[in-house]
Amino acid sequence: AGVPLVPGYHGDDQAPQVLKQHADAMGYPVLLKAAAGGGGKGMRQVHSSDEFFAALDAAKREAMS
């Protein structure tokens, strides 16, 4: 349809290391969005590889609350 898309990962393997590998390959910054969140809950900006796992954990916690 010619609609521009933002790079992202929607694969079945949601293991933290796999997600980080895809983020590293895309380049930073990235936006993490937990599937369980709504209304912006579970969204985190990640500006570098060093902060990826902490941001992923925070997005998961917030989405579950």
Side-chain angles (χ1 to χ4, degrees):
V3 177
L5 300 175
V6 176
Y9 175 72
H10 302 279
D12 291 332
D13 191 345
Q14 298 289 302
Q17 190 60 42
V18 171
L19 298 175
K20 184 177 180 299
Q21 288 172 350
H22 283 276
D24 290 345
M26 282 184 276
Y28 292 89
V30 298
L31 180 66
L32 299 178
K33 172 67 177 98
K41 288 183 72 173
M43 294 179 79
R44 287 288 184 276
Q45 291 181 17
V46 185
H47 297 281
S48 71
S49 182
D50 292 340
E51 50 183 73
F52 184 87
F53 291 119
L56 180 61
D57 289 342
K60 287 179 181 180
R61 280 192 310 273
E62 185 175 298
M64 301 302 281
S65 65

